[in-house]
Amino acid sequence: MRKKVTDLALHGGNPVRVEPFPPWPQPTDAMRKNLLRTLDSEKWGVGSEVVQQFEREFARFHHSRFAISTNSGTAALWVALKAAGVKLGDEIIIPAYTFVATASAVLMANAVPVFVDIDGETLNMDPHSAAQAITERTRVILPVHVGGNPAHVEQIGEIAREAGIVMIEDAAQAHGSEWKGRRIGSFGIGGIFSFQTSKNMTAGEGGVIVSDDEDFVNACFSYHNVSRPRGNGGNRQRHLGGNFRLSAIPASLLLAQFDSMEGKMKIRDANAEILETEIDAIPGLTPQKRYPEATRVSRHIYIFMYDGRKFNDATREEFIKALNAEGIPVYPGYGPVYSEGLFVVDETEYPWLEGRNFNSLSLPVTERISRREAVWLRQNCLLGDEEDTLDIVKAIKKVATYYQSLDN
């Protein structure tokens, strides 16, 4: 029988923390100034200089020659897939542990998502699983940098080259992340980023594609800009493009954030290092690992793994509920994407998926991590001072001590 303990906030005790963590987004004077300048003296849409300036700056920041901005990260994924030559029935290899947009963009491109398992330490696409999934219909490998933690772009890129296909990086959460000092997004034929509200760089919504491949960029431009060609001349492209352009208003907000990016990254880095040291010392808790070549992580999400066997078999959900009561807003994160209702396939709507049974799919590492182990903390919780971070540590230790001291 479990002994009665009353100091947990969940049981009526005082919570470790009652103050909220730093808010997000965080408007600045530079954003306000840019926004007003755009409102007063800029074209708000087509032909906007601020959009072009933002694209140049983002390409430079992410060590790429070109950037094409879009009105969402999902649109950026669709545009990149189409520009890479994806056609009806092509297969796109993606990790099963990702936001649903990675998979829905594949469906929107009339292609087939092929889900593969993840590395149980980094939570990124397992290169071996990706290699095993390649068929004659595979067109793209699409690794996702989960939480801003770089996937193994060298191994996956080599697998793609050997198979004669391309790699596109879903770097939606990886602003500023690096592999051997080179910014993520610049390793495949293209990389996409998101500027949705929660992202480390945000305009509420928006996206961008970066690339060194000019032919690919020309195709991206056409697909995102109602079939028009990039540049001043040439024939009209034969691409069924849409209007997925970014307007000048969000571009002006984004342009003002380059100066503050490094400072915020340093704060997240310092606070994440405290968490990693403290959490790694608690039996049953393990921080998300990174590959040695990952020289910087954006820390969009701080993730650690929970082993209920070290907590007297308390479930992850019980652990999360207790931490929430202590004022620490953790949550479980993704489930396996193939379990989403979207993939109960209606063959009248998705005829190219005929015969695919996603319900029968089972990827053990993804299911273990997503259903029992992963605990997530949003990036704004890493933007406080050291005392804020130590509150997180104190609450985790308090809850861990409670569950680990229970009588069986």
Side-chain angles (χ1 to χ4, degrees):
M1 180 175 179
R2 291 184 172 184
K3 64 185 180 182
K4 186 177 181 181
V5 177
T6 59
D7 63 336
L8 280 189
L10 191 64
H11 298 157
N14 293 323
V16 168
R17 186 179 179 89
V18 294
E19 294 296 320
F21 284 92
W24 191 262
Q26 295 180 354
T28 65
D29 288 341
M31 289 184 205
R32 294 184 182 95
K33 187 180 295 185
N34 264 19
L35 187 57
L36 288 173
R37 185 185 299 118
T38 298
L39 289 172
D40 291 340
S41 59
E42 256 283 346
K43 293 180 180 179
W44 292 359
V46 175
S48 164
E49 174 55 33
V50 75
V51 172
Q52 296 173 42
Q53 186 180 356
F54 164 69
E55 291 174 340
R56 290 192 297 269
E57 285 297 309
F58 197 89
R60 180 194 60 78
F61 185 76
H62 274 278
H63 301 168
S64 298
R65 291 177 62 201
F66 307 106
I68 300 289
S69 57
T70 62
N71 53 20
S72 74
T74 307
L77 276 169
W78 180 86
V79 168
L81 289 170
K82 295 302 295 181
V86 171
K87 293 182 170 54
L88 178 68
D90 285 343
E91 293 178 349
I92 314 299
I93 296 173
I94 65 173
Y97 193 68
T98 184
F99 184 58
V100 69
T102 310
S104 59
V106 172
L107 291 182
M108 289 161 58
N110 298 338
V112 179
V114 176
F115 299 102
V116 297
D117 217 344
I118 59 172
D119 177 314
E121 293 188 332
T122 69
L123 310 188
N124 286 312
M125 176 186 282
D126 173 31
H128 177 72
S129 295
Q132 294 294 106
I134 293 173
T135 73
E136 61 182 13
R137 297 177 64 185
T138 306
R139 174 74 70 168
V140 175
I141 299 181
L142 185 60
V144 178
H145 307 297
V146 174
N149 185 30
H152 207 303
V153 287
E154 289 181 316
Q155 285 188 23
I156 297 170
E158 182 60 28
I159 289 166
R161 282 189 292 275
E162 288 181 357
I165 57 180
V166 299
M167 178 176 74
I168 295 173
E169 299 173 64
D170 184 339
Q173 302 173 347
H175 310 75
S177 293
E178 296 177 358
W179 183 272
K180 293 183 177 178
R182 180 177 166 190
R183 293 270 161 82
I184 285 300
S186 63
F187 288 85
I189 194 173
I192 75 93
F193 296 80
S194 168
F195 305 119
Q196 178 267 346
T197 300
S198 71
K199 300 301 188 291
N200 297 20
M201 188 176 197
T202 181
E205 294 291 352
V208 71
I209 305 158
V210 297
S211 179
D212 289 340
D213 188 311
E214 191 162 11
D215 290 339
F216 174 77
V217 168
N218 288 342
C220 285
F221 185 91
S222 182
Y223 276 110
H224 104 297
N225 191 24
V226 291
S227 304
R228 293 171 181 148
R230 178 170 171 264
N232 297 320
N235 296 322
R236 198 170 189 83
Q237 303 265 351
R238 294 184 178 180
H239 297 147
L240 182 59
N243 178 1
F244 301 113
R245 300 184 299 260
L246 187 73
S247 80
I249 305 301
S252 66
L253 294 173
L254 292 164
L255 190 58
Q257 293 174 48
F258 288 109
D259 290 341
S260 60
M261 281 282 288
E262 179 61 26
K264 285 184 168 58
M265 288 181 73
K266 285 182 177 178
I267 293 170
R268 292 189 195 96
D269 286 345
N271 287 325
E273 286 174 11
I274 294 171
L275 288 179
E276 283 172 3
T277 299
E278 296 288 346
I279 289 173
D280 205 28
I282 300 172
L285 300 182
T286 307
Q288 178 188 22
K289 304 298 184 186
R290 61 174 164 177
Y291 296 110
E293 298 91 341
T295 46
R296 198 160 203 187
V297 176
S298 72
R299 318 281 189 181
H300 173 62
I301 302 161
Y302 185 85
I303 306 175
F304 62 94
M305 267 57 77
Y306 170 82
D307 183 352
R309 295 171 297 181
K310 303 291 186 179
F311 291 79
N312 278 295
D313 294 324
T315 66
R316 176 189 59 176
E317 284 61 36
E318 290 177 290
F319 179 77
I320 286 175
K321 187 176 181 181
L323 273 180
N324 288 167
E326 298 295 340
I328 310 303
V330 293
Y331 60 113
Y334 300 138
V337 184
Y338 52 81
S339 297
E340 296 279 350
L342 174 66
F343 296 102
V344 178
V345 176
D346 180 350
E347 292 179 358
T348 63
E349 186 172 5
Y350 309 110
W352 61 94
L353 298 182
E354 184 177 359
R356 299 272 175 169
N357 183 6
F358 295 107
N359 288 331
S360 66
L361 189 59
S362 179
L363 299 175
V365 181
T366 295
E367 292 177 9
R368 170 172 56 82
I369 294 294
S370 63
R371 292 172 178 169
R372 298 198 303 273
E373 295 187 5
V375 180
W376 286 24
L377 187 71
R378 290 184 173 89
Q379 56 90 8
N380 63 295
C381 296
L382 300 180
L383 287 176
D385 58 25
E386 184 175 342
E387 289 204 7
D388 292 320
T389 302
L390 291 176
D391 277 348
I392 300 171
V393 172
K394 183 178 178 181
I396 291 173
K397 287 183 175 179
K398 179 181 176 181
V399 172
T401 298
Y402 165 71
Y403 282 114
Q404 291 175 348
S405 66
L406 289 175
D407 293 333
N408 291 324

